[in-house]
Amino acid sequence: MSRMGSYLKKHIEALVKDVGIEAACKLTGKSKATLGRYYSDHGEHADRFMPVDAVAALEEAASYPHVTGALAELQGISLSFDGKRRNTKERANVNSDVIVLSQRFALLMAEYQQSIEDGVITINEAKRLLRETSQLQQVLIDMKLHLEEEAL
């Protein structure tokens, strides 16, 4: 299998595991076995990849667009991912920022606890921690901007 194929299969696996195998089956209409073949590195499945519509459905439910990110990286393209996905489209203020900040910090701590549970932080766990840290940083930037707005 090519390095590119192996790279993509690892990200397909990360996507399926991010969503959860049962949920992934429901979202894509595919069986567990079929989804497993999409990220299997066995020779007989080397040329089998997940269809784009299934990737799109899973990435909508996932915490991060794993496959889209991998495809972009392979082409030397950098993406800007806004993982806010807020429940409301209301204009945020400092009070809502404090709530979001608390929630993001709780997510970071939960991710850290899960990552350090076995005493080793793997590369994928480190990437998830980095993503959560970046999201926390974005909340702080938003909060700073709202505070500056109110100070004027």
Side-chain angles (χ1 to χ4, degrees):
M1 178 183 321
S2 72
R3 288 182 59 179
M4 183 184 341
S6 178
Y7 184 73
L8 288 172
K9 284 185 175 278
K10 287 178 182 168
H11 284 81
I12 292 169
E13 181 178 15
L15 176 61
V16 170
K17 289 183 176 180
D18 183 349
V19 173
I21 189 77
E22 296 292 331
C25 290
K26 287 178 186 170
L27 288 168
T28 62
K30 309 287 184 194
S31 69
K32 289 181 187 179
T34 298
L35 291 176
R37 288 182 194 106
Y38 292 145
Y39 55 81
S40 172
D41 58 359
H42 290 108
E44 62 190 321
H45 305 298
D47 61 346
R48 186 180 299 216
F49 292 91
M50 185 177 282
V52 175
D53 62 335
V55 171
L58 293 179
E59 286 189 344
E60 186 175 357
S63 65
Y64 182 77
H66 299 277
V67 177
T68 299
L71 288 168
E73 288 173 6
L74 288 170
Q75 296 301 313
I77 299 169
S78 63
L79 299 176
S80 176
F81 175 67
D82 180 7
K84 290 179 186 176
R85 297 184 184 183
R86 293 192 175 184
N87 292 333
T88 63
K89 299 203 184 283
E90 295 175 15
R91 189 168 177 261
N93 58 37
V94 176
N95 291 332
S96 63
D97 289 338
V98 170
I99 293 167
V100 174
L101 181 65
S102 298
Q103 291 170 335
R104 273 285 161 208
F105 188 74
L107 289 171
L108 176 62
M109 290 298 96
E111 191 67 51
Y112 175 74
Q113 192 279 328
Q114 185 179 11
S115 297
I116 200 69
E117 205 167 65
D118 61 358
V120 176
I121 297 178
T122 66
I123 190 96
N124 285 334
E125 290 168 337
K127 286 180 182 179
R128 286 194 311 263
L129 285 168
L130 180 60
R131 226 179 352 263
E132 283 301 330
T133 303
S134 296
Q135 290 300 316
L136 186 62
Q137 183 179 18
Q138 184 60 53
V139 171
L140 288 168
I141 291 168
D142 291 345
M143 189 174 182
K144 178 183 176 192
L145 292 173
H146 291 133
L147 285 167
E148 287 175 353
E149 234 176 64
E150 288 186 12
L152 295 175

